[in-house]
Amino acid sequence: MYPELMKYKQIKKQYEDQLNKLKLEQKDLEEEKETMLEEYEKLLSQITSHQKANSPERVSLTGLKSEIQQLTEELGDVMEESSHLSRSQKERLHEWMKPLREGMDREVMAAKQHLRLKKEEFQRYRMELLLLLQQVYEMEDYIQDIHYSYTEACNEYLSEQDKKTLQLQAINVRREAKHMLSELQQDLDYVMKNGKTPEWFQEKVKATTGGEL
């Protein structure tokens, strides 16, 4: 995450935290007001049924009405503050649109440049790998040729068991080269499928870097 985006997310979270706090405050006030309104309606019903001009219920009703009015004002203040904060959030975050885009372009450009260097490096390693494989097969062919030449030259002096042993040695050399290629292909397939290096490679890196990848 690049610096501008981190700052943007930080500012956004600060606004969201404040707005959530106001929403909770608004909810509490609304619930308290609803409770008082129910109590007000209940007292009003009692007064109406008793038809008393100066009763304790009327005093309580007046007090409740005053409290409800105060809560209504507090609720209005909270809603106004929420509205103001929402507008402020929208304006503030909008100001960050240009820096966010510029930061993204900068980071993408830098990443592409780094990727280009890695591609060039990959091509060098690719050539080295192909050269190494070529050398492996050349050595394999050489060993095959040595076995064949030796067997041909000493054919009349070799037992059937000796001939079989030499043949098996030559076959094993061929198998080793194919096994190397098979393992390499498995690793490449794993990277292509999972987008990361195989576990055996990660463990090797950890062992050589003291546990840091």
Side-chain angles (χ1 to χ4, degrees):
M1 189 180 300
Y2 57 98
E4 291 87 349
L5 184 56
M6 290 179 63
K7 183 64 177 178
Y8 175 85
K9 285 181 172 290
Q10 179 184 352
I11 294 172
K12 185 178 180 181
K13 185 178 184 304
Q14 289 174 347
Y15 273 105
E16 288 176 346
D17 288 345
Q18 292 180 62
L19 285 169
N20 287 333
K21 184 178 179 181
L22 287 172
K23 284 179 181 178
L24 289 174
E25 187 177 349
Q26 179 179 338
K27 182 181 178 183
D28 290 342
L29 288 172
E30 287 174 343
E31 289 177 352
E32 187 177 355
K33 181 181 177 180
E34 183 66 26
T35 300
M36 286 190 175
L37 282 172
E38 291 176 359
E39 188 175 349
Y40 180 88
E41 292 295 332
K42 183 179 178 181
L43 279 174
L44 184 61
S45 177
Q46 291 176 359
I47 292 171
T48 303
S49 62
H50 294 158
Q51 294 294 325
K52 294 181 180 179
N54 297 304
S55 65
E57 287 85 355
R58 284 191 177 275
V59 175
S60 299
L61 190 67
T62 302
L64 270 177
K65 186 175 181 180
S66 177
E67 289 183 30
I68 291 171
Q69 181 61 35
Q70 185 178 349
L71 279 175
T72 302
E73 292 175 0
E74 290 180 16
L75 190 57
D77 291 340
V78 170
M79 293 174 68
E80 184 179 352
E81 186 177 354
S82 295
S83 178
H84 174 74
L85 195 59
S86 295
R87 290 195 301 270
S88 177
Q89 179 194 36
K90 186 175 180 180
E91 292 171 0
R92 183 79 185 281
L93 295 181
H94 181 71
E95 293 173 356
W96 275 89
M97 290 299 100
K98 184 178 180 181
L100 272 177
R101 181 54 186 266
E102 291 174 348
M104 183 193 71
D105 292 341
R106 181 195 66 242
E107 294 297 316
V108 169
M109 185 178 297
K112 284 184 176 180
Q113 175 67 12
H114 186 67
L115 180 61
R116 184 183 65 80
L117 295 175
K118 286 298 179 182
K119 284 181 177 179
E120 293 175 357
E121 186 178 358
F122 173 78
Q123 288 299 326
R124 291 196 298 271
Y125 284 127
R126 181 183 177 187
M127 292 176 65
E128 291 179 10
L129 176 61
L130 290 174
L131 179 60
L132 179 61
L133 289 173
Q134 180 181 334
Q135 292 171 348
V136 168
Y137 274 98
E138 286 175 353
M139 290 301 298
E140 176 192 286
D141 289 339
Y142 178 71
I143 293 172
Q144 290 274 0
D145 185 59
I146 291 294
H147 277 83
Y148 176 78
S149 299
Y150 175 79
T151 303
E152 186 179 39
C154 305
N155 185 52
E156 57 184 291
Y157 304 104
L158 296 174
S159 65
E160 289 301 319
Q161 184 59 43
D162 290 336
K163 292 178 183 178
K164 288 182 179 180
T165 300
L166 289 169
Q167 186 178 12
L168 286 173
Q169 289 177 350
I171 291 173
N172 285 336
V173 171
R174 178 76 68 181
R175 285 176 178 172
E176 287 177 5
K178 288 184 177 180
H179 182 65
M180 289 170 58
L181 283 176
S182 176
E183 286 185 326
L184 175 61
Q185 187 61 55
Q186 288 177 12
D187 291 340
L188 293 175
D189 290 342
Y190 184 92
V191 173
M192 290 292 291
K193 180 180 179 180
N194 300 284
K196 60 181 181 180
T197 53
E199 291 184 6
W200 72 263
F201 176 81
Q202 296 181 39
E203 292 299 326
K204 285 279 189 182
V205 173
K206 286 181 181 180
T208 57
T209 59
E212 295 182 3
L213 283 176

